[in-house]
Amino acid sequence: MNQLKQIRLENKWTQQYVADKIGITKSAYSNIENQNRSPSLKVAIQLQNLFGLSIEKLLENKNSNPTLTKV
């Protein structure tokens, strides 16, 4: 399980709650959480603030190096 999902479940947050807090759609957040999409820098910073993890930890992918998408 990736860190975003683990922390989200520990806090009993839904994907919709997280998406609303950072200003993106639930679908977009789900894709980030499931590592189907990389967040923009803006979204990564918002996730960092919400989850209390470094951007490096948030973007850590077991299959590759941390990446961001263009805004």
Side-chain angles (χ1 to χ4, degrees):
M1 182 181 317
N2 69 44
Q3 292 198 44
L4 289 178
K5 185 173 183 178
Q6 182 177 349
I7 294 170
R8 179 178 63 77
L9 293 175
E10 287 172 1
N11 285 292
K12 298 180 180 158
W13 295 337
T14 63
Q15 287 184 335
Q16 186 65 58
Y17 173 81
V18 174
D20 290 344
K21 291 297 259 182
I22 62 173
I24 62 175
T25 66
K26 178 185 175 279
S27 176
Y29 175 73
S30 178
N31 282 321
I32 292 167
E33 184 179 273
N34 293 314
Q35 300 177 335
N36 296 325
R37 170 184 165 188
S38 296
S40 67
L41 179 56
K42 178 182 175 184
V43 170
I45 291 169
Q46 291 169 322
L47 288 169
Q48 174 185 355
N49 293 335
L50 182 63
F51 284 89
L53 293 174
S54 69
I55 289 178
E56 292 83 7
K57 281 287 188 189
L58 287 171
L59 300 178
E60 198 171 73
N61 182 332
K62 61 185 173 217
N63 299 322
S64 66
N65 293 325
T67 58
L68 294 171
T69 58
K70 292 183 180 180
V71 178

